[in-house]
Amino acid sequence: VHSKYVDNGYQLAISLMIQNENGSADYKQARALLEELTPYANEPRRERLLSKIALTWYFEGSSHFAKQMFEEALVCFDNALKVFRELGELSSQISVLSQIAAVNEQLGNIDKSIAYYQQALSLAQQTHSDAKMMDINIELCSLNQLVGNLSLKNYYAEQIESIFSSTKDLKAHFAYYRYKGREAKSLELYNMAEQWFQKAIGVAQKQSIEENLLMSYFDLGELYHMWGRYSEALTFLQLSLGKDTAINENNYINYILIADIHLKMGDMEKCMGYIEQLFALEPYINEPRKLSQLYTTRGNYNHHLEDYQAALSDYKKADEILAAKYPATDGERVSIYALLGGVEHRLNHYNES
């Protein structure tokens, strides 16, 4: 009797964990049901229930993370990690540790982020997962460059090259090509970056993983935007939206770039239309770089209309948002200083400019 009760309850819990057409699922209710079933389950079933309980924590944490609710995400990931450790599920532990590391990076806790990625890397080496080792080495390379530890940055860069040269894992290849593309883009080697991102698109098409394909389209669209190839940028940024074409928290940055491209191409009406829709979402955007970029885009729009006072206000707000998390030497803040200087000059504020 108990086994039938457990199996029926389990199926109901699984149905609650499946996202509906609005992209939401009831992880709390699913978890409550699974916890209620656990005392009645024999050992094989108990492990299966506990694994799904951990997954409800993981998915709920991922949902919070996507909404920039970082503290709530950490609570969920910590709970997931405890259960996965109890079960000895190494692959799942790697995923959770990587998410905890990513949240800490967003919170500016870089040392903590590095420590969690190192834990994840140790487990990935035990599972011999080239894809996971590639992903984590890329993150550790980036973070150590950020904190100025060039010897460790170079060490992880060597590990990345070593994994790529010895693996046939398409997931590892995809991550590698995106990493090389971003690296080339940061050095303004746009032709080289384009080639790497096109290789990533090729791998994503072989994988038939839509999420990877959309990320690759975004990479190329963002590159073309930086490069000034606006028509191509618009094509790939629109492709990167997939079916999710309504402006929301998930595609916010895509539309900021699309708005800016319309500005650069002289379509002021379309640009302002997107900006107005984006500002309607402002209360839900907690990530400083995304929010700052929105104000910078509106500042550029006002600058184009020669409304320099409004542009000045937007640029100051953009810098104020970044200043809460990033130092004055941050690259994006330095770019905003140049915009501020130009507007101050237009307003005849020569001392400020």
Side-chain angles (χ1 to χ4, degrees):
V1 175
H2 282 168
S3 62
K4 191 170 183 61
Y5 166 68
V6 169
D7 290 342
N8 289 341
Y10 176 82
Q11 293 303 323
L12 176 57
I14 295 300
S15 69
L16 293 169
M17 292 170 65
I18 297 171
Q19 291 185 346
N20 59 28
E21 58 188 21
N22 297 320
S24 60
D26 197 339
Y27 300 120
K28 285 186 173 68
Q29 190 176 341
R31 186 164 55 249
L33 179 54
L34 291 164
E35 287 171 345
E36 181 184 312
L37 297 170
T38 304
Y40 302 98
N42 58 22
E43 198 47 45
R45 284 187 174 88
R46 180 180 176 277
E47 282 199 9
R48 186 174 63 168
L49 291 171
L50 288 174
S51 183
K52 287 296 184 286
I53 287 169
L55 275 178
T56 64
W57 283 119
Y58 180 78
F59 290 143
E60 188 179 342
S62 298
S63 176
H64 288 318
F65 192 7
K67 296 171 185 172
Q68 291 105 39
M69 298 167 63
F70 300 128
E71 298 298 340
E72 293 87 343
L74 281 177
V75 170
C76 291
F77 289 140
D78 283 339
N79 283 320
L81 186 59
K82 286 173 191 169
V83 183
F84 283 134
R85 278 178 171 161
E86 179 187 336
L87 296 171
E89 293 188 13
L90 293 186
S91 182
S92 298
Q93 288 177 55
I94 295 165
S95 298
V96 179
L97 286 165
S98 296
Q99 288 284 68
I100 293 172
V103 174
N104 274 290
E105 181 184 356
Q106 289 297 318
L107 290 169
N109 303 329
I110 305 302
D111 288 344
K112 272 190 177 181
S113 181
I114 288 172
Y116 278 109
Y117 275 127
Q118 286 171 334
Q119 287 183 53
L121 181 58
S122 176
L123 295 181
Q125 287 165 341
Q126 291 178 45
T127 62
H128 306 290
S129 169
D130 288 337
K132 289 183 184 297
M133 285 192 287
M134 177 66 81
D135 288 340
I136 298 164
N137 274 290
I138 287 171
E139 296 296 340
L140 285 167
C141 181
S142 171
L143 289 171
N144 278 285
Q145 181 173 22
L146 184 66
V147 298
N149 193 332
L150 295 185
S151 61
L152 272 177
K153 180 260 178 185
N154 291 335
Y155 168 78
Y156 289 116
E158 289 169 8
Q159 295 302 303
I160 291 164
E161 296 296 336
S162 175
I163 295 165
F164 176 73
S165 65
S166 62
T167 186
K168 294 181 180 178
D169 189 316
L170 285 180
K171 288 182 180 177
H173 284 195
F174 175 74
Y176 177 80
Y177 292 141
R178 290 191 73 219
Y179 154 75
K180 296 296 286 187
R182 291 193 300 270
E183 183 180 58
K185 184 180 72 174
S186 71
L187 297 170
E188 298 185 7
L189 301 172
Y190 296 147
N191 280 304
M192 189 178 294
E194 180 183 32
Q195 291 171 35
W196 287 120
F197 288 143
Q198 285 172 341
K199 285 187 176 186
I201 288 175
V203 173
Q205 287 170 335
K206 282 183 188 174
Q207 290 176 299
S208 298
I209 298 175
E210 185 185 22
E211 183 183 359
N212 288 355
L213 192 56
L214 298 182
M215 282 194 291
S216 302
Y217 288 151
F218 178 81
D219 288 336
L220 203 50
E222 186 181 41
L223 173 70
Y224 287 142
H225 172 259
M226 289 179 68
W227 203 344
R229 292 167 60 174
Y230 298 125
S231 180
E232 291 158 289
L234 197 56
T235 296
F236 279 96
L237 287 169
Q238 287 170 334
L239 281 173
S240 75
L241 296 169
K243 297 172 185 173
D244 189 19
T245 54
I247 295 179
N248 58 59
E249 302 98 304
N250 297 323
N251 59 28
Y252 192 81
I253 197 68
N254 307 56
Y255 275 109
I256 289 177
L257 294 179
I258 288 170
D260 190 61
I261 288 166
H262 284 299
L263 173 63
K264 298 288 199 312
M265 295 174 77
D267 193 333
M268 307 304 288
E269 188 176 344
K270 275 190 178 178
C271 173
M272 198 58 207
Y274 285 122
I275 287 173
E276 286 173 352
Q277 291 181 70
L278 287 162
F279 265 99
L281 283 174
E282 184 184 5
Y284 307 101
I285 306 301
N286 300 319
E287 210 292 306
R289 291 199 189 280
K290 289 183 180 180
L291 198 53
S292 171
Q293 199 165 354
L294 176 58
Y295 277 93
T296 301
T297 301
R298 191 172 69 179
N300 293 340
Y301 173 86
N302 287 321
H303 189 285
H304 190 85
L305 294 180
E306 299 183 6
D307 188 346
Y308 299 124
Q309 197 60 53
L312 180 66
S313 176
D314 280 330
Y315 292 149
K316 282 184 174 179
K317 181 66 175 177
D319 183 58
E320 178 188 317
I321 291 164
L322 289 178
K325 185 173 177 182
Y326 300 103
T329 53
D330 176 76
E332 286 186 33
R333 291 193 66 192
V334 171
S335 298
I336 293 171
Y337 299 152
L339 295 171
L340 282 166
V343 174
E344 296 279 17
H345 185 78
R346 290 281 190 176
L347 291 166
N348 300 322
H349 299 167
Y350 298 118
N351 290 335
E352 289 84 348
S353 65

mmCIF file with all atom_site columns, all heavy atoms in Angstrom, residues 8-21:
data_model
loop_
_atom_site.group_PDB
_atom_site.id
_atom_site.type_symbol
_atom_site.label_atom_id
_atom_site.label_alt_id
_atom_site.label_comp_id
_atom_site.label_asym_id
_atom_site.label_entity_id
_atom_site.label_seq_id
_atom_site.pdbx_PDB_ins_code
_atom_site.Cartn_x
_atom_site.Cartn_y
_atom_site.Cartn_z
_atom_site.occupancy
_atom_site.B_iso_or_equiv
_atom_site.pdbx_formal_charge
_atom_site.auth_seq_id
_atom_site.auth_comp_id
_atom_site.auth_asym_id
_atom_site.auth_atom_id
_atom_site.pdbx_PDB_model_num
ATOM 1   N N   . ASN A 1 8  ? 2.461  7.163  -6.539  1.00 0.00 ? 8  ASN A N   1
ATOM 2   C CA  . ASN A 1 8  ? 1.462  8.130  -7.035  1.00 0.00 ? 8  ASN A CA  1
ATOM 3   C C   . ASN A 1 8  ? 1.831  9.559  -6.614  1.00 0.00 ? 8  ASN A C   1
ATOM 4   O O   . ASN A 1 8  ? 1.737  10.506 -7.405  1.00 0.00 ? 8  ASN A O   1
ATOM 5   C CB  . ASN A 1 8  ? 0.068  7.780  -6.508  1.00 0.00 ? 8  ASN A CB  1
ATOM 6   C CG  . ASN A 1 8  ? -0.487 6.525  -7.164  1.00 0.00 ? 8  ASN A CG  1
ATOM 7   O OD1 . ASN A 1 8  ? -0.031 6.109  -8.224  1.00 0.00 ? 8  ASN A OD1 1
ATOM 8   N ND2 . ASN A 1 8  ? -1.471 5.906  -6.534  1.00 0.00 ? 8  ASN A ND2 1
ATOM 9   N N   . GLY A 1 9  ? 2.247  9.691  -5.360  1.00 0.00 ? 9  GLY A N   1
ATOM 10  C CA  . GLY A 1 9  ? 2.656  11.011 -4.854  1.00 0.00 ? 9  GLY A CA  1
ATOM 11  C C   . GLY A 1 9  ? 3.868  11.539 -5.591  1.00 0.00 ? 9  GLY A C   1
ATOM 12  O O   . GLY A 1 9  ? 3.971  12.738 -5.885  1.00 0.00 ? 9  GLY A O   1
ATOM 13  N N   . TYR A 1 10 ? 4.790  10.632 -5.905  1.00 0.00 ? 10 TYR A N   1
ATOM 14  C CA  . TYR A 1 10 ? 6.009  11.011 -6.631  1.00 0.00 ? 10 TYR A CA  1
ATOM 15  C C   . TYR A 1 10 ? 5.658  11.582 -8.004  1.00 0.00 ? 10 TYR A C   1
ATOM 16  O O   . TYR A 1 10 ? 6.191  12.618 -8.412  1.00 0.00 ? 10 TYR A O   1
ATOM 17  C CB  . TYR A 1 10 ? 6.911  9.779  -6.778  1.00 0.00 ? 10 TYR A CB  1
ATOM 18  C CG  . TYR A 1 10 ? 8.166  9.997  -7.587  1.00 0.00 ? 10 TYR A CG  1
ATOM 19  C CD1 . TYR A 1 10 ? 9.302  10.562 -7.012  1.00 0.00 ? 10 TYR A CD1 1
ATOM 20  C CD2 . TYR A 1 10 ? 8.224  9.627  -8.928  1.00 0.00 ? 10 TYR A CD2 1
ATOM 21  C CE1 . TYR A 1 10 ? 10.452 10.758 -7.752  1.00 0.00 ? 10 TYR A CE1 1
ATOM 22  C CE2 . TYR A 1 10 ? 9.375  9.815  -9.689  1.00 0.00 ? 10 TYR A CE2 1
ATOM 23  C CZ  . TYR A 1 10 ? 10.485 10.385 -9.091  1.00 0.00 ? 10 TYR A CZ  1
ATOM 24  O OH  . TYR A 1 10 ? 11.626 10.574 -9.829  1.00 0.00 ? 10 TYR A OH  1
ATOM 25  N N   . GLN A 1 11 ? 4.753  10.920 -8.710  1.00 0.00 ? 11 GLN A N   1
ATOM 26  C CA  . GLN A 1 11 ? 4.354  11.391 -10.039 1.00 0.00 ? 11 GLN A CA  1
ATOM 27  C C   . GLN A 1 11 ? 3.688  12.771 -9.961  1.00 0.00 ? 11 GLN A C   1
ATOM 28  O O   . GLN A 1 11 ? 3.913  13.635 -10.818 1.00 0.00 ? 11 GLN A O   1
ATOM 29  C CB  . GLN A 1 11 ? 3.399  10.386 -10.707 1.00 0.00 ? 11 GLN A CB  1
ATOM 30  C CG  . GLN A 1 11 ? 4.036  9.054  -11.058 1.00 0.00 ? 11 GLN A CG  1
ATOM 31  C CD  . GLN A 1 11 ? 5.255  9.215  -11.973 1.00 0.00 ? 11 GLN A CD  1
ATOM 32  O OE1 . GLN A 1 11 ? 5.283  10.074 -12.859 1.00 0.00 ? 11 GLN A OE1 1
ATOM 33  N NE2 . GLN A 1 11 ? 6.278  8.393  -11.740 1.00 0.00 ? 11 GLN A NE2 1
ATOM 34  N N   . LEU A 1 12 ? 2.889  12.977 -8.915  1.00 0.00 ? 12 LEU A N   1
ATOM 35  C CA  . LEU A 1 12 ? 2.245  14.279 -8.736  1.00 0.00 ? 12 LEU A CA  1
ATOM 36  C C   . LEU A 1 12 ? 3.300  15.361 -8.473  1.00 0.00 ? 12 LEU A C   1
ATOM 37  O O   . LEU A 1 12 ? 3.235  16.466 -9.030  1.00 0.00 ? 12 LEU A O   1
ATOM 38  C CB  . LEU A 1 12 ? 1.248  14.216 -7.573  1.00 0.00 ? 12 LEU A CB  1
ATOM 39  C CG  . LEU A 1 12 ? 0.556  15.535 -7.193  1.00 0.00 ? 12 LEU A CG  1
ATOM 40  C CD1 . LEU A 1 12 ? -0.187 16.118 -8.395  1.00 0.00 ? 12 LEU A CD1 1
ATOM 41  C CD2 . LEU A 1 12 ? -0.410 15.311 -6.022  1.00 0.00 ? 12 LEU A CD2 1
ATOM 42  N N   . ALA A 1 13 ? 4.285  15.043 -7.645  1.00 0.00 ? 13 ALA A N   1
ATOM 43  C CA  . ALA A 1 13 ? 5.354  16.003 -7.342  1.00 0.00 ? 13 ALA A CA  1
ATOM 44  C C   . ALA A 1 13 ? 6.136  16.373 -8.598  1.00 0.00 ? 13 ALA A C   1
ATOM 45  O O   . ALA A 1 13 ? 6.461  17.547 -8.819  1.00 0.00 ? 13 ALA A O   1
ATOM 46  C CB  . ALA A 1 13 ? 6.290  15.426 -6.281  1.00 0.00 ? 13 ALA A CB  1
ATOM 47  N N   . ILE A 1 14 ? 6.409  15.361 -9.425  1.00 0.00 ? 14 ILE A N   1
ATOM 48  C CA  . ILE A 1 14 ? 7.140  15.618 -10.668 1.00 0.00 ? 14 ILE A CA  1
ATOM 49  C C   . ILE A 1 14 ? 6.354  16.565 -11.560 1.00 0.00 ? 14 ILE A C   1
ATOM 50  O O   . ILE A 1 14 ? 6.917  17.483 -12.180 1.00 0.00 ? 14 ILE A O   1
ATOM 51  C CB  . ILE A 1 14 ? 7.431  14.299 -11.424 1.00 0.00 ? 14 ILE A CB  1
ATOM 52  C CG1 . ILE A 1 14 ? 8.366  13.405 -10.611 1.00 0.00 ? 14 ILE A CG1 1
ATOM 53  C CG2 . ILE A 1 14 ? 8.010  14.574 -12.811 1.00 0.00 ? 14 ILE A CG2 1
ATOM 54  C CD1 . ILE A 1 14 ? 9.709  14.018 -10.298 1.00 0.00 ? 14 ILE A CD1 1
ATOM 55  N N   . SER A 1 15 ? 5.045  16.385 -11.624 1.00 0.00 ? 15 SER A N   1
ATOM 56  C CA  . SER A 1 15 ? 4.213  17.256 -12.469 1.00 0.00 ? 15 SER A CA  1
ATOM 57  C C   . SER A 1 15 ? 4.254  18.705 -11.967 1.00 0.00 ? 15 SER A C   1
ATOM 58  O O   . SER A 1 15 ? 4.183  19.643 -12.764 1.00 0.00 ? 15 SER A O   1
ATOM 59  C CB  . SER A 1 15 ? 2.767  16.750 -12.503 1.00 0.00 ? 15 SER A CB  1
ATOM 60  O OG  . SER A 1 15 ? 2.130  16.921 -11.247 1.00 0.00 ? 15 SER A OG  1
ATOM 61  N N   . LEU A 1 16 ? 4.381  18.875 -10.657 1.00 0.00 ? 16 LEU A N   1
ATOM 62  C CA  . LEU A 1 16 ? 4.457  20.225 -10.087 1.00 0.00 ? 16 LEU A CA  1
ATOM 63  C C   . LEU A 1 16 ? 5.790  20.904 -10.406 1.00 0.00 ? 16 LEU A C   1
ATOM 64  O O   . LEU A 1 16 ? 5.898  22.134 -10.403 1.00 0.00 ? 16 LEU A O   1
ATOM 65  C CB  . LEU A 1 16 ? 4.270  20.172 -8.562  1.00 0.00 ? 16 LEU A CB  1
ATOM 66  C CG  . LEU A 1 16 ? 2.890  19.756 -8.052  1.00 0.00 ? 16 LEU A CG  1
ATOM 67  C CD1 . LEU A 1 16 ? 2.922  19.490 -6.551  1.00 0.00 ? 16 LEU A CD1 1
ATOM 68  C CD2 . LEU A 1 16 ? 1.861  20.844 -8.376  1.00 0.00 ? 16 LEU A CD2 1
ATOM 69  N N   . MET A 1 17 ? 6.822  20.097 -10.678 1.00 0.00 ? 17 MET A N   1
ATOM 70  C CA  . MET A 1 17 ? 8.149  20.631 -10.976 1.00 0.00 ? 17 MET A CA  1
ATOM 71  C C   . MET A 1 17 ? 8.311  21.034 -12.442 1.00 0.00 ? 17 MET A C   1
ATOM 72  O O   . MET A 1 17 ? 9.282  21.703 -12.807 1.00 0.00 ? 17 MET A O   1
ATOM 73  C CB  . MET A 1 17 ? 9.230  19.601 -10.624 1.00 0.00 ? 17 MET A CB  1
ATOM 74  C CG  . MET A 1 17 ? 9.359  19.340 -9.135  1.00 0.00 ? 17 MET A CG  1
ATOM 75  S SD  . MET A 1 17 ? 10.425 17.917 -8.791  1.00 0.00 ? 17 MET A SD  1
ATOM 76  C CE  . MET A 1 17 ? 12.015 18.507 -9.402  1.00 0.00 ? 17 MET A CE  1
ATOM 77  N N   . ILE A 1 18 ? 7.354  20.648 -13.284 1.00 0.00 ? 18 ILE A N   1
ATOM 78  C CA  . ILE A 1 18 ? 7.444  20.975 -14.712 1.00 0.00 ? 18 ILE A CA  1
ATOM 79  C C   . ILE A 1 18 ? 6.933  22.394 -14.937 1.00 0.00 ? 18 ILE A C   1
ATOM 80  O O   . ILE A 1 18 ? 5.841  22.747 -14.481 1.00 0.00 ? 18 ILE A O   1
ATOM 81  C CB  . ILE A 1 18 ? 6.627  19.973 -15.545 1.00 0.00 ? 18 ILE A CB  1
ATOM 82  C CG1 . ILE A 1 18 ? 7.213  18.565 -15.389 1.00 0.00 ? 18 ILE A CG1 1
ATOM 83  C CG2 . ILE A 1 18 ? 6.610  20.380 -17.013 1.00 0.00 ? 18 ILE A CG2 1
ATOM 84  C CD1 . ILE A 1 18 ? 6.352  17.470 -15.985 1.00 0.00 ? 18 ILE A CD1 1
ATOM 85  N N   . GLN A 1 19 ? 7.717  23.195 -15.629 1.00 0.00 ? 19 GLN A N   1
ATOM 86  C CA  . GLN A 1 19 ? 7.327  24.580 -15.873 1.00 0.00 ? 19 GLN A CA  1
ATOM 87  C C   . GLN A 1 19 ? 6.124  24.640 -16.801 1.00 0.00 ? 19 GLN A C   1
ATOM 88  O O   . GLN A 1 19 ? 6.037  23.904 -17.785 1.00 0.00 ? 19 GLN A O   1
ATOM 89  C CB  . GLN A 1 19 ? 8.484  25.362 -16.493 1.00 0.00 ? 19 GLN A CB  1
ATOM 90  C CG  . GLN A 1 19 ? 9.639  25.584 -15.532 1.00 0.00 ? 19 GLN A CG  1
ATOM 91  C CD  . GLN A 1 19 ? 10.719 26.475 -16.129 1.00 0.00 ? 19 GLN A CD  1
ATOM 92  O OE1 . GLN A 1 19 ? 10.748 26.721 -17.325 1.00 0.00 ? 19 GLN A OE1 1
ATOM 93  N NE2 . GLN A 1 19 ? 11.614 26.962 -15.288 1.00 0.00 ? 19 GLN A NE2 1
ATOM 94  N N   . ASN A 1 20 ? 5.189  25.537 -16.463 1.00 0.00 ? 20 ASN A N   1
ATOM 95  C CA  . ASN A 1 20 ? 4.025  25.731 -17.328 1.00 0.00 ? 20 ASN A CA  1
ATOM 96  C C   . ASN A 1 20 ? 4.383  26.692 -18.464 1.00 0.00 ? 20 ASN A C   1
ATOM 97  O O   . ASN A 1 20 ? 5.535  27.113 -18.608 1.00 0.00 ? 20 ASN A O   1
ATOM 98  C CB  . ASN A 1 20 ? 2.822  26.240 -16.522 1.00 0.00 ? 20 ASN A CB  1
ATOM 99  C CG  . ASN A 1 20 ? 3.109  27.569 -15.823 1.00 0.00 ? 20 ASN A CG  1
ATOM 100 O OD1 . ASN A 1 20 ? 3.931  28.360 -16.289 1.00 0.00 ? 20 ASN A OD1 1
ATOM 101 N ND2 . ASN A 1 20 ? 2.421  27.824 -14.721 1.00 0.00 ? 20 ASN A ND2 1
ATOM 102 N N   . GLU A 1 21 ? 3.389  27.078 -19.258 1.00 0.00 ? 21 GLU A N   1
ATOM 103 C CA  . GLU A 1 21 ? 3.671  27.918 -20.432 1.00 0.00 ? 21 GLU A CA  1
ATOM 104 C C   . GLU A 1 21 ? 4.165  29.304 -20.042 1.00 0.00 ? 21 GLU A C   1
ATOM 105 O O   . GLU A 1 21 ? 4.775  30.013 -20.847 1.00 0.00 ? 21 GLU A O   1
ATOM 106 C CB  . GLU A 1 21 ? 2.412  28.036 -21.301 1.00 0.00 ? 21 GLU A CB  1
ATOM 107 C CG  . GLU A 1 21 ? 1.207  28.608 -20.571 1.00 0.00 ? 21 GLU A CG  1
ATOM 108 C CD  . GLU A 1 21 ? -0.064 28.519 -21.392 1.00 0.00 ? 21 GLU A CD  1
ATOM 109 O OE1 . GLU A 1 21 ? -0.116 27.701 -22.322 1.00 0.00 ? 21 GLU A OE1 1
ATOM 110 O OE2 . GLU A 1 21 ? -1.001 29.278 -21.096 1.00 0.00 ? 21 GLU A OE2 1
#
